[in-house]
């Protein structure tokens, strides 16, 4: 803006570009060998299928800049989508499964990116969605401690989805830290699609405009008030 | 007989947030500008009611009413010629506490009249939380500006050299959706207070709710906003800029963070400065 002796009648908005608040949505996805075959295929399909609905939610909430990332964990942990990517630009590359279940390392990797910086002060609470079919084979507790040591880790909305009957529910409960909401249990591909979609839309929506609160006032369980998850789909195929 | 050293003019405005409008929620910000004395002093305040507090809109209105009244009374009590340290000392030594308690008393009475049910255990605190709000307020005179803030948002001073300062620092408890608030027990302990003598060349004080702050990427971007307002006010005068605020704040909320947005501007201008 320039203000000089010859001002136009209409004044321009003071300052430079406005900015919606960033909302980081991070998938933490189990790609260990037990996920090989139908499970990893279903997981890839579920994430890919959720993206259009995520984009719709983002469009309906223009004051939140939704950025998607994904961590894949197997014998190690690495970023499957390394940069915070605007949801409109996310193209899902299918993962393959092999190796052990380094869930603790995945949480540590995530924690490092929730520091300020690189996280901005003025962000919205991140949404972390952990999906696994087994038990960690590394130091899960160290990863969780690293995550919870970061203020944005503590403030994050943390959702866990268990695939099949062998997932370690205690670990997923500890990740969520939610006294009322249990890990979601997906025992077939349709249910997994439903749960991933719920986390990517209803949870995203709830996290995009959290009401401010006074210091010391009771916070909702899980940091933001979440809508109820959908019931499991009744499909014939069971993992 | 010479006139006042600096002319003081103020304006303020609040708009409902774009997200509030989409969700059919009321504006929970409030503002107030109150001339005091003989036209040479002005008390100004903005408040941002918490979205989680059901009576936040009333809480914010009570906050700006209480703050401007308290500061006007302080001006009357100290009289002309009091130094900045006198204002700061008075606010820190009791006026700030009285302001908080007056607001809490007001919401308690409102709650009783409205028949709001109190919960057992800590009924007063629970009721007060329903009205939770932040507050920023200033008393501006030709020789002294005294300001206070409780909670998030920003108070910025633009010097005649276009330097942007944060005379009150930041709320130590503000993070994500959490902020210090008038509704917490012992809230006066979280008040940030300062007072100083504006330079002969004047300057601009801005008080904004966090809806304004969160609509910019960082402090540097917010500093640019403050500098542009200072240039605009110097060129057009406070009244003309005040008339444009509604449009400005609507743009900020719509293209920014979507929250309610409030802004108060207090301009200190030398008598010879053209308007």
């Amino acid at each position: 803006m320039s203000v000089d002796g010859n001002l136009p009648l209409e004044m321009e908005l003071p300052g430079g570009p406005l900015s919606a608040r960033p909302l980081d949505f991070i998938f933490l996805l189990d790609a260990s060998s037990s996920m090989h075959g139908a499970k990893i295929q279903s997981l890839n399909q579920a994430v890919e299928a959720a993206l259009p609905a995520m984009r719709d939610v983002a469009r309906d909430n223009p004051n939140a800049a939704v950025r998607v990332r994904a961590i894949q964990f197997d014998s190690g942990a690495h970023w499957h989508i390394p940069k915070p990517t605007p949801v409109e630009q996310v193209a899902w590359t299918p993962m393959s499964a092999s190796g052990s279940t380094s869930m603790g390392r995945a949480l540590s990797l995530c924690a490092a990116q929730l520091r300020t910086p690189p996280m901005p002060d003025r962000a919205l609470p991140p949404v972390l969605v952990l999906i696994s079919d087994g038990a960690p084979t590394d130091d899960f507790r160290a990863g969780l401690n690293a995550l919870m040591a970061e203020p944005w880790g503590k403030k994050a909305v943390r959702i866990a989805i268990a695939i099949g009957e062998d997932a370690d529910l205690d670990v997923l409960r500890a990740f969520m830290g939610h006294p009322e909401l249990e890990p979601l249990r997906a025992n077939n591909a349709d249910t997994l699609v439903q749960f991933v979609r719920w986390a990517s839309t209803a949870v995203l929506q709830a996290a995009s405009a959290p009401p401010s609160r006074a210091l010391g006032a009771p916070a909702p369980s899980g940091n933001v008030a979440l809508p109820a998850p959908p019931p499991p789909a009744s499909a014939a195929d069971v993992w | 007989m010479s006139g006042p050293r600096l002319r003081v003019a103020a304006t303020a405005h609040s708009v409902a947030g774009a997200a509030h409008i989409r969700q059919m929620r009321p504006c929970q910000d409030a503002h107030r500008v109150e001339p005091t004395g003989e036209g040479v002093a002005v008390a100004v305040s903005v408040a941002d009611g918490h979205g989680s507090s059901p009576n936040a809109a009333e809480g914010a209105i009570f906050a700006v009413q209480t703050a401007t009244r308290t500061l006007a009374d302080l001006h009357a009590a100290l009289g002309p010629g009091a130094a900045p340290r006198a204002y700061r000392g008075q606010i820190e030594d009791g006026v700030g506490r009285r302001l908080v308690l007056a607001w809490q008393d007001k919401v308690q009475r409102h709650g009783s009249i409205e028949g709001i049910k109190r919960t057992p255990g800590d009924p007063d605190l629970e009721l007060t939380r329903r009205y939770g709000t932040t507050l920023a307020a200033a008393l501006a005179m030709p020789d002294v500006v005294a300001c206070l803030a409780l909670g998030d948002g920003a108070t910025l001073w633009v010097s005649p050299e276009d330097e942007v300062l944060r005379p009150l620092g930041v709320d130590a408890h503000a993070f994500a959706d959490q902020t210090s608030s008038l509704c917490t027990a012992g809230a006066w302990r979280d008040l940030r207070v300062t007072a100083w003598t504006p330079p002969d060349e004047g300057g601009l004080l801005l008080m904004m709710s966090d809806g304004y702050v969160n609509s910019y990427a960082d402090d540097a971007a917010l500093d640019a906003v403050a500098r542009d307002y200072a240039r605009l006010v110097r060129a057009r005068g406070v009244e003309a800029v005040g008339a444009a605020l509604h449009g400005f704040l609507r743009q900020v909320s719509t293209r920014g963070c979507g929250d309610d947005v409030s802004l108060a501007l207090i301009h200190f201008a030398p008598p010879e400065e053209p308007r």
Side-chain angles (χ1 to χ4, degrees):
Chain A
M1 186 178 99
S2 67
V3 176
D4 55 34
N6 294 314
L7 284 165
L9 199 60
E10 292 296 318
M11 292 183 227
E12 288 175 30
L13 180 67
L18 287 148
S19 168
R21 293 176 80 183
L23 195 172
D24 282 348
F25 189 101
I26 303 177
F27 287 109
L28 298 107
L29 304 174
D30 186 345
S32 60
S33 56
S34 58
M35 290 285 292
H36 185 73
K39 285 183 187 172
I40 197 74
Q41 196 180 343
S42 298
L43 180 55
N44 282 318
Q45 285 169 352
V47 174
E48 192 163 16
L51 291 173
M54 275 182 100
R55 292 185 192 113
D56 289 345
V57 172
R59 259 195 301 275
D60 291 343
N61 293 276
N63 307 113
V66 179
R67 315 184 303 182
V68 178
R69 276 193 280 188
I71 292 174
Q72 172 178 342
F73 57 94
D74 37 52
S75 296
H78 67 270
W79 287 97
H80 187 66
I81 300 178
K83 288 188 180 159
T85 306
V87 64
E88 306 80 28
Q89 297 170 18
V90 175
W92 187 250
T93 306
M95 301 178 300
S96 53
S98 67
S100 53
T101 309
S102 303
M103 193 186 289
R105 271 191 248 177
L107 298 185
S108 297
L109 193 63
C110 183
Q113 290 301 304
L114 294 184
R115 272 182 214 131
T116 304
M119 277 286 285
D121 289 326
R122 294 170 188 167
L124 289 160
V127 178
L128 312 182
V129 180
L130 172 62
I131 305 178
S132 175
D133 77 332
T137 52
D138 65 350
D139 190 348
F140 166 79
R141 190 51 66 179
L144 186 61
N145 289 345
L147 184 68
M148 299 309 283
E150 298 300 332
W152 279 122
K154 235 180 276 179
K155 278 283 177 190
V157 181
R158 300 182 303 277
I159 302 293
I161 301 175
I163 295 181
E165 295 292 343
D166 299 328
D168 186 334
L169 293 177
D170 288 340
V171 155
L172 299 183
R173 276 188 202 105
F175 168 76
M176 290 178 68
H178 197 298
E180 291 144 31
L181 190 62
E182 280 284 295
L184 303 172
R185 301 175 70 168
N187 286 327
N188 55 58
D190 290 347
T191 303
L192 182 61
V193 168
Q194 277 189 358
F195 287 162
V196 173
R197 185 187 168 92
W198 174 78
S200 313
T201 54
V203 174
L204 182 65
Q205 169 91 46
S208 66
S212 60
R213 66 192 60 260
L215 174 72
S221 302
N223 290 326
V224 300
L226 295 175
S234 52
D237 294 334
V238 172
W239 289 318
Chain B
M1 184 177 143
S2 63
R5 186 176 139 265
L6 293 169
R7 286 180 291 116
V8 179
T11 187
H13 196 71
S14 305
V15 298
H20 283 221
I21 292 168
R22 282 198 299 274
Q23 296 159 8
M24 291 186 286
R25 287 157 53 201
C27 178
Q28 294 166 316
D29 275 16
H31 64 276
R32 190 173 176 87
V33 179
E34 188 167 313
T36 178
E38 296 175 0
V40 293
V42 62
V44 184
S45 53
V46 297
D48 173 8
H50 310 323
S52 59
S53 300
N55 296 88
E58 292 98 330
I61 292 167
F62 295 155
V64 296
Q65 288 172 343
T66 307
T68 49
R69 189 69 260 148
T70 301
L71 292 177
D73 289 348
L74 176 62
H75 178 239
L78 285 175
R85 66 175 178 279
Y87 281 94
R88 180 176 180 162
Q90 286 284 314
I91 296 169
E92 287 178 339
D93 291 344
V95 170
R97 183 172 185 271
R98 286 203 295 279
L99 189 166
V100 172
L101 293 176
W103 176 84
Q104 292 183 349
D105 182 56
K106 211 164 190 162
V107 305
Q108 291 288 334
R109 280 187 281 123
H110 185 265
S112 299
I113 292 164
E114 295 291 307
I116 292 171
K117 195 178 167 193
R118 294 165 188 242
T119 50
D122 202 347
D124 288 350
L125 181 59
E126 286 305 317
L127 178 64
T128 307
R129 275 185 182 151
R130 296 179 61 94
Y131 293 79
T133 181
T134 66
L135 173 68
L139 180 61
M141 299 150 280
D143 292 313
V144 179
V145 53
C147 46
L148 61 89
L150 182 63
D152 56 18
T155 298
L156 307 176
W157 170 258
V158 186
S159 76
E161 297 79 29
D162 262 0
E163 187 184 4
V164 180
L165 304 172
R166 286 166 172 70
L168 291 170
V170 297
D171 175 24
H173 301 297
F175 180 70
D177 56 353
Q178 179 183 280
T179 174
S180 298
S181 170
L182 276 172
C183 72
T184 55
W188 55 88
R189 287 189 282 268
D190 293 321
L191 268 176
R192 288 125 59 211
V193 182
T194 193
W196 70 96
T197 298
D200 291 344
E201 298 82 10
L204 180 73
L205 185 72
L206 301 92
M207 296 186 292
M208 48 181 65
S209 62
D210 76 331
Y212 215 130
V213 176
N214 287 331
S215 294
Y216 288 86
D218 51 31
D219 285 351
L222 205 61
D223 290 357
V225 172
R227 282 192 200 95
D228 274 355
Y229 270 113
R231 290 181 199 128
L232 205 49
V233 166
R234 281 197 293 266
R236 290 290 190 88
V238 165
E239 198 176 329
V241 177
L245 279 186
H246 184 79
F248 287 165
L249 302 194
R250 287 293 298 271
Q251 285 187 64
V252 168
S253 184
T254 303
R255 288 158 45 202
C257 80
D259 199 358
D260 298 337
V261 175
S262 291
L263 176 67
L265 303 170
I266 307 176
H267 189 216
F268 298 81
E272 69 276 14
E273 188 175 342
R275 299 192 61 174

